[in-house]
Amino acid sequence: MDIRLGGLETPQVAALLEEHLEDMRRFSPPESVHALDLDRLRAPDLTFWSLWAGEEVLGCVALRELDPEHGELKSMRTSAAHRRRGVGAALLDHVVAAARGRGYARLSLETGPTVEFAPARTMYAAYGFAPCGPFGPYVHDEFSVFMTLPLEP
């Protein structure tokens, strides 16, 4: 597995992100879908990585800087064909290391509360993410679960 900076220009990543957006729209009401499309992932406050095996994209993740001490995990996705094979863990290890390298005091995320998001919430909790209140641009929403991970210097 090879984690690469970028990949947004490839058709493989575009297809993976479209799959991600379709799922988010299926499991959440429109006002509660916080997933980013290709254009929004190109914002200057975001860093995007994709994970590859040869010419096949297995997953992706982005890191948004909310402020100099706080990062947000965005667009974490493992392709359906590669779930439960360590792709999510590899991406999460990478983005947590990047957040620590930037000197963030914490890394936060928003995910869904329904059963479809349970595997993600379980993985985040295993990494030490704990429930928290809304952060950054978010407000309380019954279709959102907010989690944060304190990062050691």
Side-chain angles (χ1 to χ4, degrees):
M1 290 191 288
D2 176 32
I3 297 177
R4 303 175 191 169
L5 181 63
L8 292 169
E9 70 288 349
T10 67
Q12 298 96 318
V13 169
L16 179 64
L17 289 169
E18 186 55 38
E19 173 187 300
H20 180 58
L21 287 167
E22 286 174 11
D23 276 356
M24 298 307 102
R25 292 178 190 127
R26 184 170 51 244
F27 303 133
S28 301
E31 66 276 7
S32 298
V33 174
H34 303 290
L36 303 177
D37 63 19
L38 280 170
D39 287 337
R40 290 172 52 202
L41 283 166
R42 290 184 174 100
D45 63 340
L46 282 157
T47 305
F48 183 86
W49 295 274
S50 48
L51 190 147
W52 297 78
E55 295 303 310
E56 185 178 13
V57 67
L58 310 182
C60 63
V61 67
L63 178 59
R64 170 185 277 159
E65 182 168 301
L66 297 172
D67 66 50
E69 294 187 356
H70 190 187
E72 179 186 6
L73 180 82
K74 292 296 294 179
S75 299
M76 178 89 165
R77 180 69 176 197
T78 300
S79 72
H82 296 284
R83 293 200 179 126
R84 293 173 181 65
R85 296 184 184 176
V87 171
L91 288 166
L92 194 52
D93 286 340
H94 187 82
V95 77
V96 168
R100 281 193 173 109
R102 291 180 181 188
Y104 293 158
R106 69 181 174 134
L107 179 62
S108 301
L109 63 91
E110 180 275 338
T111 190
T114 61
V115 67
E116 293 86 4
F117 297 94
R121 291 191 312 269
T122 298
M123 181 178 69
Y124 297 139
Y127 271 73
F129 283 85
C132 67
F135 58 89
Y138 299 101
V139 296
H140 178 75
D141 178 352
E142 68 180 306
F143 286 95
S144 289
V145 171
F146 303 101
M147 302 178 84
T148 197
L149 174 69
L151 300 173
E152 298 172 8

